[in-house]
Amino acid sequence: FYINLEDLDDDNFNDKNFARSNIINFFNFICFKEPYIYSEQLRKYCLAHDKNFIRFVNLYINDLSNTFDETFTLIREINTIEKEDISISLMNREDTYEGKPRHKELFKKYIYADSFISTLSFMLSFLLTLSKYSDNTLLSKELGVKFCSQINYFLNEITNERKRKNYIIKNKYDIRFQPLNILSKLMNVILNLMHKKEIVEYMSKDTRSFRRENITFTLNKLWSNHMLSDGELNKLEKMALQIEETMKLEKEDIEIPDEFCDPLMASEIEDPVMLPGTDTIMDKSVISRHLLTDQHNPFNRESLTLEDLEKYNSKSEIKIQIDKFNEKK
């Protein structure tokens, strides 16, 4: 049902995000109440590399990112108004601020922020569940780079020295805005995935958002507030160093010729596949991520699914062309 909501016309169903967040909240409830039934079902989908489950997790990551952005946009807007030496009390009613438009605007933003923070909290709680029971899906070829980039983006948005000063607000406890709790959940997600070697590989590919100093800032804050053990601190510090060293090594690699770079992402084609109806060769992980949200060939807009792609690339004549590509590369 979560997936099917994607195909509904927004004009006829404008509560899509609300419905989806309720589904995630429901998942949190049943996985907590009956982990031996429902959490194990997540594990089974993960181990089976179920295509619909991968698409569901992809859509969930998109929704989590949107919720995060909307929440922190509201907090920044509250911060901006309060810099004008304007403050309100959430103990008052909205009509208390009639005739004071900026005070009323600030009051409304706090109410909206309270709702978004609550939604973000249980969206992140489900990410913890997925990291425990669906690690192979989160770090799959289809989703791994995207997922790790989102984690790095969240960390950078909260901990970056230039940005974090924009998230200081006066009534943060009244609306349960505690960035430290968000950071704690993100670190626990990473701890759940640290047994997978792919996490260092995928984290290191995110040259835009990954900063070792963000991890260091997070770990110091959590450890000093007794939210992280010495062992966990050491493990995470070691991982951050490995990511940084991997990034340095990748910078020293030779430049890849354009013909061996993916036409959408400009990254090296490591697992080549040919798109039906075209002569275009792409990296399988890139086209797989595209098809999770848009089931059309990006170059001729014809209908295309992962199953169609795999069937086409199993043909002997296509295999020959892929072999020639690999040999030349």
Side-chain angles (χ1 to χ4, degrees):
F1 183 60
Y2 195 99
I3 293 171
N4 290 341
L5 284 171
E6 185 70 11
D7 301 321
L8 290 181
D9 187 347
D10 288 339
D11 293 333
N12 297 324
F13 190 78
N14 55 15
D15 285 332
K16 185 186 297 183
N17 292 337
F18 180 69
R20 275 185 168 166
S21 65
N22 277 330
I23 293 171
I24 296 299
N25 209 12
F26 175 69
F27 287 164
N28 281 331
F29 176 76
I30 62 174
C31 287
F32 175 75
K33 287 290 185 181
E34 297 287 354
Y36 294 108
I37 299 174
Y38 298 109
S39 294
E40 284 303 316
Q41 185 61 53
L42 295 179
R43 194 192 301 276
K44 289 176 183 177
Y45 282 132
C46 172
L47 293 175
H49 205 65
D50 184 276
K51 296 292 192 297
N52 268 338
F53 184 65
I54 292 172
R55 192 175 179 214
F56 155 69
V57 174
N58 177 67
L59 292 171
Y60 156 75
I61 291 172
N62 290 346
D63 290 343
L64 171 60
S65 180
N66 289 335
T67 303
F68 181 94
D69 283 340
E70 288 173 331
T71 301
F72 278 80
T73 296
L74 274 168
I75 299 299
R76 282 197 303 272
E77 290 172 351
I78 290 170
N79 173 275
T80 299
I81 296 175
E82 289 184 337
K83 284 178 179 176
E84 301 172 19
D85 201 24
I86 293 173
S87 60
I88 54 96
S89 170
L90 293 172
M91 299 295 290
N92 293 332
R93 297 188 339 174
E94 184 181 339
D95 58 15
T96 304
Y97 302 106
E98 289 296 338
K100 297 180 177 179
R102 289 294 273 173
H103 288 76
K104 192 171 184 179
E105 181 184 357
L106 180 60
F107 185 89
K108 286 182 177 179
K109 287 187 184 297
Y110 263 111
I111 300 301
Y112 293 147
D114 184 37
S115 174
F116 275 106
I117 288 164
S118 177
T119 302
L120 179 61
S121 178
F122 59 72
M123 292 287 279
L124 286 169
S125 293
F126 187 61
L127 186 62
L128 270 171
T129 301
L130 286 177
S131 68
K132 186 175 180 181
Y133 296 98
S134 300
D135 50 357
N136 288 341
T137 301
L138 288 175
L139 294 177
S140 62
K141 286 187 176 180
E142 294 90 343
L143 295 178
V145 172
K146 174 180 179 175
F147 164 71
C148 288
S149 294
Q150 286 297 330
I151 295 294
N152 286 332
Y153 168 72
F154 295 156
L155 289 172
N156 188 54
E157 194 64 30
I158 299 172
T159 65
N160 182 285
E161 186 175 3
R162 180 176 54 83
K163 293 184 177 185
R164 63 179 184 251
K165 62 185 178 182
N166 296 320
Y167 301 128
I168 299 170
I169 60 174
K170 295 175 182 177
N171 295 300
K172 65 178 183 178
Y173 295 112
D174 292 335
I175 61 171
R176 296 158 296 167
F177 178 61
Q178 296 172 283
L180 210 55
N181 288 341
I182 298 174
L183 292 174
S184 178
K185 285 183 177 179
L186 293 175
M187 286 300 106
N188 278 303
V189 166
I190 293 175
L191 284 167
N192 285 343
L193 297 170
M194 281 188 68
H195 65 286
K196 305 285 290 182
K197 61 178 176 30
E198 292 89 349
I199 192 164
V200 170
E201 175 190 349
Y202 292 146
M203 283 279 195
S204 66
K205 290 184 182 295
D206 181 20
T207 56
R208 183 175 60 178
S209 295
F210 176 79
R211 301 286 183 275
R212 186 181 168 195
E213 57 265 30
N214 293 343
I215 300 281
T216 301
F217 175 86
T218 300
L219 298 182
N220 289 338
K221 280 287 185 181
L222 293 176
W223 183 83
S224 63
N225 283 274
H226 310 290
M227 299 171 76
L228 206 62
S229 70
D230 289 347
E232 291 168 336
L233 176 72
N234 292 332
K235 284 181 183 179
L236 289 163
E237 282 182 334
K238 184 178 178 181
M239 186 202 71
L241 179 60
Q242 287 177 327
I243 295 170
E244 189 175 63
E245 289 176 346
T246 303
M247 292 174 77
K248 288 177 181 177
L249 287 173
E250 289 176 351
K251 283 182 180 179
E252 295 170 4
D253 286 349
I254 61 169
E255 186 175 344
I256 308 297
D258 288 345
E259 63 180 308
F260 304 124
C261 291
D262 184 86
L264 284 184
M265 295 301 295
S267 54
E268 179 185 355
I269 297 176
E270 297 178 349
D271 186 5
V273 289
M274 182 170 282
L275 301 189
T278 73
D279 293 327
T280 303
I281 292 178
M282 293 186 65
D283 189 77
K284 188 175 181 180
S285 64
V286 174
I287 185 61
S288 296
R289 286 198 300 273
H290 169 83
L291 294 176
L292 288 170
T293 51
D294 183 354
Q295 297 192 321
H296 292 88
N297 186 321
F299 295 97
N300 62 14
R301 300 308 297 165
E302 291 181 0
S303 178
L304 180 65
T305 65
L306 284 170
E307 291 77 11
D308 296 335
L309 184 70
E310 289 173 357
K311 185 176 179 181
Y312 182 74
N313 279 267
S314 67
K315 294 180 180 180
S316 56
E317 63 271 25
I318 302 302
K319 285 183 177 180
I320 290 171
Q321 292 190 61
I322 295 298
D323 287 342
K324 287 180 178 178
F325 175 88
N326 282 328
E327 186 179 349
K328 187 178 180 184
K329 179 169 180 282

